[in-house]
């Protein structure tokens, strides 16, 4: 979408990629799972998760795919902050100490959401080995995650999307 949008990072952008419209569509989620799956297998992760809301459909789709392929991976979701009631957890689901985990999000800009999730995962004693996003907005996330020892896998870069949109007159 074109317009003026404030991103989770606080920065402003003249375009917005609403990938929830893709990941909450059956065909879109199927494509997303197919492009992310090989990186998870290669990294040999035990669990995968990420910041809620962007990661939610991806986590659900990928743990289902892991069951279908008989390579079980468990899922978890990371809240923005510790829950103030009930169990008081920040991480919901399966993120056990010692597990090799992947952190997912739909879009990554500067990496802030993934980095906050990474901090929570490390506090739980798990070992983040990979970050994944469907689209890298190419604004520093890859470098910030690398400085934390976690490589980023993103099958699409925003420059490719914007180039394709320009070719179509969008």
């Amino acid at each position: 979408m074109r317009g003026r949008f404030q991103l989770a990072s606080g920065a402003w952008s003249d375009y917005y990629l609403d990938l929830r419209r893709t990941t909450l569509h059956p065909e879109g989620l199927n494509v997303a799972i197919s492009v992310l799956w090989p990186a998870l297998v290669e990294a040999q992760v035990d669990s995968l998760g990420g910041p809620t809301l962007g990661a939610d459909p991806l986590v659900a789709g990928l743990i289902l795919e892991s069951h279908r392929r008989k390579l079980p991976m468990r899922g978890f979701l990371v809240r923005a902050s510790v829950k103030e009631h009930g169990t008081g957890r920040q991480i919901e689901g399966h993120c056990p100490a010692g597990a090799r985990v992947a952190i997912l999000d739909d879009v990554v800009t500067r990496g802030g959401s993934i980095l906050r999730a990474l901090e929570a995962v490390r506090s739980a004693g798990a070992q983040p080995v990979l970050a994944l996003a469907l689209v890298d907005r190419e604004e520093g996330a890859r470098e910030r995650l690398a400085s934390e020892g976690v490589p980023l896998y993103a099958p699409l870069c925003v420059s490719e999307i914007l180039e394709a949109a320009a070719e179509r007159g969008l």
Side-chain angles (χ1 to χ4, degrees):
M1 293 185 290
R2 297 289 183 169
R4 184 109 171 107
F5 304 95
Q6 188 169 21
L7 307 175
S9 66
W12 289 88
S13 176
D14 60 352
Y15 63 90
Y16 185 76
L17 304 171
D18 187 358
L19 289 188
R20 285 174 298 269
R21 295 190 51 84
T22 299
T23 62
L24 291 170
H25 183 280
E27 186 178 358
L29 182 59
N30 188 57
V31 170
I33 296 319
S34 69
V35 298
L36 296 176
W37 177 255
L40 291 170
V41 172
E42 184 177 328
Q44 300 177 344
V45 301
D46 304 309
S47 293
L48 55 103
T52 196
L53 183 66
D56 296 5
L58 294 171
V59 171
L62 286 162
I63 62 174
L64 178 59
E65 186 70 9
S66 79
H67 174 74
R68 287 183 177 150
R69 293 185 182 240
K70 299 188 182 344
L71 292 170
M73 298 172 193
R74 305 240 176 179
F76 62 89
L77 299 172
V78 182
R79 297 174 185 274
S81 59
V82 174
K83 190 165 107 173
E84 296 294 325
H85 58 282
T87 58
R89 292 187 192 130
Q90 185 173 9
I91 299 175
E92 297 291 348
H94 305 275
C95 185
R100 291 174 54 85
V101 302
I103 311 275
L104 299 106
D105 208 349
D106 53 357
V107 178
V108 64
T109 303
R110 294 185 181 143
S113 296
I114 289 181
L115 287 165
R116 283 187 294 280
L118 186 117
E119 183 179 317
V121 162
R122 284 183 172 153
S123 292
Q127 176 190 3
V129 296
L130 180 64
L132 298 99
L134 290 172
V135 178
D136 179 1
R137 286 180 57 104
E138 302 173 287
E139 294 185 30
R142 184 174 305 278
E143 296 78 12
R144 288 181 74 192
L145 289 163
S147 74
E148 290 290 326
V150 179
L152 173 65
Y153 173 75
L156 288 170
C157 293
V158 77
S159 58
E160 297 166 324
I161 294 169
L162 294 175
E163 182 179 319
E167 288 173 3
R168 293 185 176 108
L170 302 174

